[in-house]
Amino acid sequence: MIKGLAISTVWVLDQDRAKEFYTEKLGLEVRTDMTLGEGGMRFLTVGAKDQPELMLALMVPGGAGMDAESAEAMRKLVTKGVLGGGALSTDDIHGDYEKLKARGVEFLQDPQERPYGIEAIFRDDSGNWFSFTQAHEGELDLDKDWGC
């Protein structure tokens, strides 16, 4: 049976640039960087040092399983900035927000109180947005704004 999530895909426009962003700006580590077969697709994964069981595959649209029209549509969605890459967690939202900002990470939203914790929103170098969240302990605080 399913035991958990192992790899999640984040569509990027340039894998070298994405590798630099995710490692140098966000502080993730490279897990895999290889080409599959002669002239095959590049398989590039990164992950948080303290979470070895989960990786983000930084993939360029196209290749096996995606026709040219779909790849172009995906590139347009990424470029437009409408795709969310997920939620990344921290236990020091204010300190880590300042560190990431100093490294050049573009934030769309400063840290804000939410029912589930304190959340900031940033974009990667391709345009994908991420929730950056420090969760509250216990129950949701429904007196806080959802920010939607």
Side-chain angles (χ1 to χ4, degrees), residues 125-136:
D125 66 303
S126 292
N128 298 298
W129 62 268
F130 286 83
S131 169
F132 187 51
T133 304
Q134 179 177 341
H136 285 312

Side-chain angles (χ1 to χ4, degrees), residues 80-100:
K80 193 173 182 179
V82 297
L83 298 180
L88 301 176
S89 62
T90 181
D91 56 5
D92 180 13
I93 187 75
H94 295 290
D96 290 340
Y97 165 80
E98 292 299 332
K99 286 178 195 169
L100 294 178

Side-chain angles (χ1 to χ4, degrees), residues 2-30:
I2 296 171
K3 293 170 40 174
L5 181 64
I7 302 173
S8 183
T9 300
V10 176
W11 296 107
V12 299
L13 301 175
D14 180 294
Q15 285 177 305
D16 289 326
R17 204 176 70 215
K19 180 180 178 180
E20 182 180 323
F21 178 86
Y22 282 83
T23 58
E24 294 179 19
K25 292 189 178 183
L26 297 186
L28 301 180
E29 62 183 14
V30 173

